[in-house]
Amino acid sequence: PAPVVYGEGSRPPRGDYARDGLVLADYTCPQNYAAYTAQDHDTYRQLFDRQSALVPGLACDEFIAALPLLGVKDRIPRFEEINARLTPATGWEVVAVPGLIPEVPFFTLLANRKFPVTDWIRTPEEMDYIVEPDVFHDLFGHVPLLFNPVFAAHMQAYGAGGLKAHGLGACEQLSRLYWYTIEFGLVRQADGLRAYGAGILSSSGELQHSVRSPEPQRLALDVTRCMRTRYKIDSYQQTYFVIDSFQQLFDLTAPDFTPLYAQVQTLGELAADARNAGDTLVSLA
Ligand code: HBI
Ligand code: FE
């Protein structure tokens, strides 16, 4: 299959896409549960135990409330075990994919409330950092918030918007919105800043950094500013975008983005750490 372009830079997908004809046209494949080794299950259990101990006070309330709904945590879950709870809750279904997939199949799955979950897990050597999403990043980072009706509706709308963006040649701009919200977004709660982005929630180091460090700048989410802002895929973010609620995220991203894409073209791109007049800074306190 074609190499997958993932946002700002393409990298060779790691999964086994030619799995003797088991990878379908929509890039989904069966979760080959028997292929997991005892080490794979142990890696999942260690990651889950370490990360769930870190989330109190750093992850948003909705994530904390939904995390137990993943069910098993001492082994890699069977995706149908998760779907038994997820589908009745918000109509979403977890489907297995061999890794990063091209943007149109990705958006198409989201638009149909199917969340693509990579079916392999990292090696023990990659415990602290992995470039490409694996089953732990996808299940621990992304799936709990799919139990939240407003966030689940946003994710479906994002998929539909992605198919429109593809038609407009605006996927790179939309991938920045995905990056700075669904992957690395922060939310302001009454008791302070919390993480809701999957890339943060599944990272042992960035969870603390994103919510507590004075180093990065934090901006109130403005969709145009966000889509102008380049990002790096292999270091902590230098800029985080903050929402006040998932309802606000849904409302901000509901309108047709066509005029915003034009504005982004006119105003031009900004570096990941750019300071820009007109930004609304969000303080740590
Ligand atoms: N594929 N499996 C998978 N998971 C992702 O999160 C993903 C993808 N392909 C493309 C992609 N994300 C991003 O480029 C989106 O912004 C489209
Ligand atoms: Fe992700």
Side-chain angles (χ1 to χ4, degrees), residues 177 181 196 219-223 226 241-243 248-249 252-253:
L177 178 67
T181 55
Y196 74 90
L219 310 178
L221 177 62
D222 168 283
V223 177
C226 178
F241 287 87
V242 185
I243 59 174
Q248 185 210 23
L249 176 62
L252 279 176
T253 56

Side-chain angles (χ1 to χ4, degrees), residues 6 100 106 115-116 133-134 137-138 141-142 178-179 182-184 197-199 202:
Y6 186 86
L100 289 176
F106 178 71
F115 191 80
D134 70 342
H137 164 84
D138 282 331
H142 285 286
Y178 185 88
W179 188 266
I182 294 161
E183 291 296 354
F184 290 93
S202 59

Side-chain angles (χ1 to χ4, degrees), residues 4-7 97 99-101 103 106-107 116 158 175 178 183:
V4 175
V5 175
Y6 186 86
V97 289
L100 289 176
I101 62 176
E103 290 181 334
F106 178 71
F107 290 135
Y158 178 84
S175 75
Y178 185 88
E183 291 296 354

Side-chain angles (χ1 to χ4, degrees), residues 93-153:
E93 182 190 347
V94 163
V95 294
V97 289
L100 289 176
I101 62 176
E103 290 181 334
V104 171
F106 178 71
F107 290 135
T108 305
L109 288 169
L110 295 189
N112 290 285
R113 293 198 179 229
K114 291 181 170 41
F115 191 80
V117 173
T118 295
D119 70 343
W120 50 261
I121 193 160
R122 68 191 75 183
T123 61
E125 295 70 37
E126 297 168 301
M127 197 63 89
D128 294 334
Y129 181 70
I130 183 168
V131 183
E132 192 166 334
D134 70 342
V135 68
F136 178 74
H137 164 84
D138 282 331
L139 286 187
F140 190 95
H142 285 286
V143 174
L145 287 179
L146 290 177
F147 282 90
N148 176 281
V150 177
F151 192 84

Side-chain angles (χ1 to χ4, degrees), residues 46-284:
Q46 284 181 55
L47 285 165
F48 196 104
D49 288 349
R50 179 178 73 177
Q51 206 59 24
S52 47
L54 291 175
V55 292
L58 297 174
C60 65
D61 293 343
E62 294 85 348
F63 178 85
I64 302 278
L67 184 58
L69 296 171
L70 283 187
V72 296
K73 55 188 187 178
D74 58 350
R75 59 176 168 81
I76 298 171
R78 292 174 192 279
F79 292 174
E80 55 267 22
E81 289 176 284
I82 294 183
N83 291 335
R85 279 185 294 276
L86 179 61
T87 309
T90 56
W92 276 84
E93 182 190 347
V94 163
V95 294
V97 289
L100 289 176
I101 62 176
E103 290 181 334
V104 171
F106 178 71
F107 290 135
T108 305
L109 288 169
L110 295 189
N112 290 285
R113 293 198 179 229
K114 291 181 170 41
F115 191 80
V117 173
T118 295
D119 70 343
W120 50 261
I121 193 160
R122 68 191 75 183
T123 61
E125 295 70 37
E126 297 168 301
M127 197 63 89
D128 294 334
Y129 181 70
I130 183 168
V131 183
E132 192 166 334
D134 70 342
V135 68
F136 178 74
H137 164 84
D138 282 331
L139 286 187
F140 190 95
H142 285 286
V143 174
L145 287 179
L146 290 177
F147 282 90
N148 176 281
V150 177
F151 192 84
H154 168 69
M155 285 291 282
Q156 193 273 336
Y158 178 84
L163 293 173
K164 273 170 59 180
H166 179 73
L168 297 166
C171 278
E172 187 157 325
Q173 289 158 2
L174 191 71
S175 75
R176 293 178 190 148
L177 178 67
Y178 185 88
W179 188 266
Y180 282 114
T181 55
I182 294 161
E183 291 296 354
F184 290 93
L186 301 181
V187 59
R188 200 167 12 192
Q189 295 183 166
D191 52 351
L193 288 176
R194 296 288 184 274
Y196 74 90
I200 304 177
L201 291 168
S202 59
S203 157
S204 55
E206 193 156 2
L207 184 51
Q208 182 92 14
H209 174 83
S210 68
V211 173
R212 296 275 163 77
S213 166
E215 256 173 62
Q217 66 173 347
R218 297 171 179 85
L219 310 178
L221 177 62
D222 168 283
V223 177
T224 305
R225 171 57 160 101
C226 178
M227 293 202 291
R228 294 179 63 197
T229 310
R230 299 182 67 81
Y231 58 86
K232 300 196 179 94
I233 60 173
D234 49 9
S235 62
Y236 289 175
Q237 301 311 306
Q238 296 165 302
T239 298
Y240 292 99
F241 287 87
V242 185
I243 59 174
D244 292 319
S245 68
F246 293 146
Q247 188 59 50
Q248 185 210 23
L249 176 62
F250 184 81
D251 296 340
L252 279 176
T253 56
D256 174 43
F257 280 178
T258 309
L260 297 187
Y261 295 139
Q263 219 185 354
V264 170
Q265 292 289 2
T266 310
L267 296 171
E269 294 179 350
L270 295 166
D273 60 348
R275 268 54 180 171
N276 193 43
D279 286 344
T280 305
L281 287 165
V282 173
S283 67
L284 268 178

